């Protein structure tokens, strides 16, 4: 049985398009793959307010200020809170959580929970934001 040239081209084009679409989906990170919901909030006076009660559910939370593409990973620890911008310092790709590290699926850079580079090609640590506790809220200084 022979396939007509036209049918062959249609079938291979569909296959190529599906493969390319799958590759694009895996190459662009638009949200952390953790199962945690992203807490979306407004920015006021270069600050983001997050209810402390959110950390009763899990010590790691993802915060997305309105209008931002990148999330802020906020980890509650013994010394307080660590807030890191989930943007790879190599080529600005969104990071995801992989085990105990933040991972860039574009070129493979990894960062520890303090934002330090564990594996390149990234050379700079993640941007860290100052945090303070005010009443029942965590305040993240984003300026």
């Amino acid at each position: 049985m022979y396939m007509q040239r036209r049918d062959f081209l249609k079938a291979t084009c569909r296959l190529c398009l599906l493969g390319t679409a799958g590759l694009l989906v895996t190459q662009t990170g638009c949200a952390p793959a953790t199962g945690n919901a992203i807490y979306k909030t407004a920015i006021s006076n270069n600050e983001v307010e997050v209810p402390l009660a959110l950390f009763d559910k899990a010590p790691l939370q993802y915060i997305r200020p309105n209008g931002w593409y990148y999330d802020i990973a906020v980890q509650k620890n013994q010394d307080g809170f660590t807030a890191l911008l989930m943007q790879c310092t190599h080529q600005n790709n969104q990071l995801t959580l992989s085990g105990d590290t933040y991972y860039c699926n574009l070129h493979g850079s990894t960062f520890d929970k303090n934002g330090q580079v564990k594996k390149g090609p990234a050379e700079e640590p993640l941007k860290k934001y100052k945090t303070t506790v005010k009443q029942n809220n965590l305040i993240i200084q984003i300026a």
Side-chain angles (χ1 to χ4, degrees):
M1 177 174 162
Y2 292 102
M3 182 183 268
Q4 293 292 326
R5 182 174 187 270
R6 181 182 200 137
D7 294 333
F8 173 77
L9 290 174
K10 283 182 184 177
T12 55
C13 284
R14 282 189 199 118
L15 184 61
C16 286
L17 286 173
L18 287 173
T20 302
L23 182 63
L24 289 174
V25 167
T26 61
Q27 288 295 325
T28 56
C30 56
T34 63
N36 287 11
I38 297 172
Y39 181 79
K40 297 177 183 178
T41 186
I43 301 169
S44 177
N45 298 321
N46 293 321
E47 296 179 342
V48 173
E49 261 185 51
V50 180
L52 288 174
L54 198 61
F55 296 93
D56 293 342
K57 298 174 186 173
L60 176 63
Q61 297 293 326
Y62 290 93
I63 312 305
R64 183 171 301 155
N66 290 347
W68 283 33
Y69 174 74
Y70 299 102
D71 299 324
I72 300 172
V74 182
Q75 176 78 41
K76 182 178 181 181
N77 48 49
Q78 294 172 347
D79 301 329
F81 294 88
T82 303
L84 302 170
L85 184 63
M86 297 292 289
Q87 178 183 11
C88 183
T89 57
H90 174 240
Q91 287 193 345
N92 303 325
N93 195 48
Q94 177 84 270
L95 301 174
T96 58
L97 183 64
S98 177
D100 64 346
T101 62
Y102 298 116
Y103 174 72
C104 177
N105 64 4
L106 195 57
H107 295 112
S109 294
T110 58
F111 302 85
D112 67 18
K113 291 286 179 109
N114 293 313
Q116 298 301 311
V117 177
K118 289 182 73 173
K119 177 181 167 233
E123 296 177 358
E124 299 295 320
L126 298 179
K127 181 174 177 102
K128 189 180 280 192
Y129 295 104
K130 182 181 174 188
T131 62
T132 55
V133 174
K134 189 179 198 180
Q135 296 172 350
N136 292 327
N137 292 309
L138 177 70
I139 308 299
I140 303 169
Q141 307 288 327
I142 60 169

